[in-house]
Amino acid sequence: MSKRTRTRETLFTAALELFDERGYEATTVAEIARRAGVTEMTFFRHFPSKDAVLVDDPYDPLIADAIVAADPALPALAAVTAGVRDAWASVPPPAAAAVRERLRIVAGSPALRGALARNSRATEQAIAEALRCRGVASRPAVVVAAAAVAALNGALLDWAAVEGDESLGDAILGALAALDGAS
Amino acid sequence: MSKRTRTRETLFTAALELFDERGYEATTVAEIARRAGVTEMTFFRHFPSKDAVLVDDPYDPLIADAIVAADPALPALAAVTAGVRDAWASVPPPAAAAVRERLRIVAGSPALRGALARNSRATEQAIAEALRCRGVASRPAVVVAAAAVAALNGALLDWAAVEGDESLGDAILGALAALDGAS
DNA sequence: CGCAAGAATGTTAGTGACTAACATTACGCC
DNA sequence: GGCGTAATGTTAGTCACTAACATTCTTGCG
């Protein structure tokens, strides 16, 4: 394991510990770095920002591919939900407990919710592009893409916030069903 | 007109001018304050943050009321779109040109897009609450609310970014149609 | 095994958004 | 015109984040 990944992980766990102990906004980057045994500068060489510790998603390509591959007869929203369903099925389910801990912190901070939205922009654009490839007009494409991503994020945050033993996968599938089944 | 509102408006126009001249991120709060003839501190006494100059929306109550009033037979998403449609119809259309200028700036900055999402949280919660009043379960309520708000914001930003003479109202109604007609 | 290149980290200095506490001015009403 | 209070100024500070340059550490290669 390279030194780079090692310090990155040290910083990551130090950050999670501190967020858990005293909350996100109350912990400073300097503290995280100190607990990790490095300088503040080093933190920013591993994470572009403080919130990047908690929000980072590289779903995009999978989802977009699944959408263009979806049944051409399906209307836009249904195509997206089908695509996300497929993409989710083709990916190893992450360690739910860890994801949940992180999402819970995100759910509790307006700033982090904003960061999550900002961070999902790439996914949103990938979905819109995939829809356009299917012949959907530009405006409906961006609207449906924005709605789908927001629905997913909303479901994830709700899943994390609510106590219970529902699986992550069920939460996602349920959210998608709520979206295109509820009109 | 009280002094408070006067300086607030001076700050507001000074900010818009500067954002237009050199872009959002490139203008500092100190510059805005200087052009308005006040101190940096005074700026923050009128706007809670730099992005608050551009994003602030008090739609919530109207929309929520319209949703609970919507036909109980309608499914969740359709109820929301119907509610927004009604709320929009009952409100005087704002000066489109000014709104457009502001939204164009927001569309161009990831940070501002995040701020917009953060700022729409109250509306989102109001919608979710209204849906729950209609008997919709909790998870679908937050999911549909998140999707609807994101769709609206997405449509607004797209409308602002695209050149053309489409009216704001048409853009909103079109977005709603795209949402619940496309599944 | 030792030694250079290159990666990773440290140091210093600075910017910009935002906050707190206290002093000062200006407005608006009687 | 004076007087209370709201509006502004002043100062000092915190925190996220960036840039430029110096230093150490790792690693592959002879």
Side-chain angles (χ1 to χ4, degrees), chain B residues 4 7-13 15 29 32 40-56:
Chain B
R4 179 160 186 88
T7 33
R8 199 193 136 94
E9 280 182 14
T10 311
L11 278 165
F12 183 72
T13 62
V29 172
I32 299 172
E40 195 178 345
M41 263 277 36
T42 298
F43 175 91
F44 285 107
R45 279 199 263 254
H46 287 270
F47 298 94
S49 62
K50 187 184 166 190
D51 40 43
V53 174
L54 293 166
V55 298
D56 62 335

Side-chain angles (χ1 to χ4, degrees), chain B residues 5-6 12 16 29 31 44 49 58 61 64 78 81 93 95 106 117 129 139:
Chain B
T5 26
R6 225 180 319 147
F12 183 72
L16 285 194
V29 172
E31 287 169 340
F44 285 107
S49 62
T81 57
V106 176
E129 178 58 24
R139 170 73 52 76

Side-chain angles (χ1 to χ4, degrees), chain A:
Chain A
M1 186 199 249
S2 79
K3 181 173 190 180
R4 179 160 187 89
T5 22
R6 225 180 320 148
T7 33
R8 198 193 138 94
E9 280 180 15
T10 312
L11 279 164
F12 183 73
T13 62
L16 284 194
E17 281 172 26
L18 285 166
F19 292 163
D20 191 57
E21 287 172 20
R22 55 188 90 162
Y24 175 77
E25 353 254 13
T27 98
T28 77
V29 171
E31 287 168 340
I32 299 172
R34 187 150 45 78
R35 177 166 300 197
V38 295
T39 306
E40 195 179 344
M41 263 274 39
T42 298
F43 175 91
F44 286 107
R45 281 199 263 254
H46 288 270
F47 299 95
S49 61
K50 187 183 168 189
D51 40 40
V53 174
L54 294 166
V55 299
D56 61 337
D57 317 290
Y59 300 104
D60 331 351
L62 277 155
I63 298 183
D65 290 353
I67 291 173
V68 293
D71 180 355
L74 286 175
L77 192 55
V80 173
T81 58
V84 174
R85 229 183 311 257
D86 288 1
W88 170 257
S90 77
V91 116
V99 172
R100 195 163 198 160
E101 183 190 353
R102 286 166 60 178
L103 283 177
R104 219 188 297 260
I105 300 173
V106 176
S109 158
L112 283 172
R113 286 183 102 103
L116 179 59
R118 202 176 58 205
N119 198 272
S120 308
R121 192 74 216 297
T123 306
E124 209 177 301
Q125 287 176 317
I127 292 179
E129 178 57 25
L131 285 175
R132 263 182 251 112
C133 285
R134 289 171 49 94
V136 177
S138 181
R139 169 74 51 76
V142 316
V143 168
V144 169
V149 168
L152 237 109
N153 285 340
L156 287 171
L157 293 176
D158 189 60
W159 167 77
V162 165
E163 301 293 333
D165 52 357
E166 186 186 16
S167 84
L168 216 190
D170 288 351
I172 290 178
L173 297 180
L176 296 176
L179 231 204
D180 76 345
S183 68

Side-chain angles (χ1 to χ4, degrees), chain B residues 1-181:
Chain B
M1 184 201 252
S2 80
K3 181 174 191 180
R4 179 160 186 88
T5 26
R6 225 180 319 147
T7 33
R8 199 193 136 94
E9 280 182 14
T10 311
L11 278 165
F12 183 72
T13 62
L16 285 194
E17 280 172 25
L18 285 166
F19 293 163
D20 191 58
E21 286 172 21
R22 54 188 91 162
Y24 175 77
E25 354 254 13
T27 97
T28 79
V29 172
E31 287 169 340
I32 299 172
R34 190 151 43 80
R35 177 165 301 195
V38 294
T39 306
E40 195 178 345
M41 263 277 36
T42 298
F43 175 91
F44 285 107
R45 279 199 263 254
H46 287 270
F47 298 94
S49 62
K50 187 184 166 190
D51 40 43
V53 174
L54 293 166
V55 298
D56 62 335
D57 317 292
Y59 301 105
D60 330 353
L62 277 156
I63 298 183
D65 289 353
I67 291 173
V68 293
D71 180 354
L74 286 175
L77 193 55
V80 174
T81 57
V84 174
R85 230 184 309 257
D86 287 2
W88 170 258
S90 78
V91 113
V99 173
R100 194 163 199 160
E101 182 189 356
R102 286 166 62 177
L103 283 177
R104 217 189 298 261
I105 301 173
V106 176
S109 159
L112 283 173
R113 276 178 175 267
L116 179 59
R118 203 175 57 206
N119 198 272
S120 308
R121 193 75 217 297
T123 306
E124 210 177 302
Q125 287 176 317
I127 292 179
E129 178 58 24
L131 284 175
R132 263 183 251 110
C133 285
R134 290 171 49 94
V136 176
S138 182
R139 170 73 52 76
V142 317
V143 168
V144 169
V149 169
L152 233 100
N153 285 341
L156 253 34
L157 293 177
D158 189 60
W159 168 78
V162 164
E163 302 293 334
D165 52 358
E166 187 186 16
S167 84
L168 217 190
D170 288 351
I172 291 178
L173 297 180
L176 297 177
L179 231 203
D180 76 345

